[in-house]
Amino acid sequence: MRASKLIFLRRYAAKLTYELELHAGRRPLEEMPELYAGLLGNAVGVEWPAVTYISDVDDGYYVANYLRAWAFEASLRRILRERFGQEWFARPAAGDFLRSIWREGQRLTADELLADLDEGPLDFSIMAEEV
């Protein structure tokens, strides 16, 4: 499971790097297929097809939302372990805690939610430590 997550994280980090370059407009479009294939291939350790250099681009840097969501997930899991123990998933109080968080829906950003929990801002190093 960790290996799969690591591959996804590496792919999405490379994809974000690519999308930032693509939208910056500093390079000719003809260079983009090779850049895309190189970044993603190096990130995941296999040859990546250049042909998907446009079709693999999501609107509005959506890839960053995935990375932030995974970082939040890792932070929340750490909070659950600290507050309710390693077997937090078996504790009714942890369920109550999660329901109180999800009751807000998507009103709060990850940073705002963490601040409400008396935690610091979103910390990507917590996610990196997991893998």
Side-chain angles (χ1 to χ4, degrees):
M1 186 167 94
R2 284 186 181 163
S4 176
K5 188 167 196 169
L6 179 59
I7 289 170
F8 271 101
L9 290 173
R10 292 179 60 92
R11 172 176 146 54
Y12 276 69
K15 189 174 163 177
L16 178 59
T17 300
Y18 167 71
E19 289 183 15
L20 289 169
E21 280 294 316
L22 175 68
H23 294 302
R26 292 186 297 263
R27 296 174 185 248
L29 190 58
E30 300 81 43
E31 291 181 13
M32 293 290 104
E34 184 179 338
L35 177 65
Y36 169 80
L39 286 170
L40 274 77
N42 287 336
V44 300
V46 297
E47 190 172 322
W48 202 266
V51 70
T52 57
Y53 81 103
I54 293 293
S55 63
D56 194 23
V57 175
D58 299 311
D59 292 341
Y61 299 107
Y62 196 72
V63 65
N65 290 336
Y66 278 103
L67 292 167
R68 290 182 56 79
W70 288 329
F72 177 74
E73 173 198 13
S75 295
L76 183 57
R77 201 172 21 261
R78 181 184 52 84
I79 291 166
L80 288 164
R81 281 192 306 267
E82 287 173 356
R83 294 186 183 186
F84 303 101
Q86 283 298 109
E87 294 189 12
W88 61 266
F89 48 86
R91 310 231 189 275
D96 294 340
F97 173 74
L98 287 171
R99 277 188 292 281
S100 74
I101 292 172
W102 303 142
R103 190 173 293 125
E104 294 291 333
Q106 295 184 15
R107 184 179 67 80
L108 302 174
T109 67
D111 288 311
E112 291 168 338
L113 188 52
L114 288 171
D116 279 0
L117 297 174
D118 295 324
E119 298 290 326
L122 196 58
D123 184 354
F124 286 85
S125 68
I126 295 169
M127 176 180 60
E129 288 171 10
E130 283 192 348
V131 292

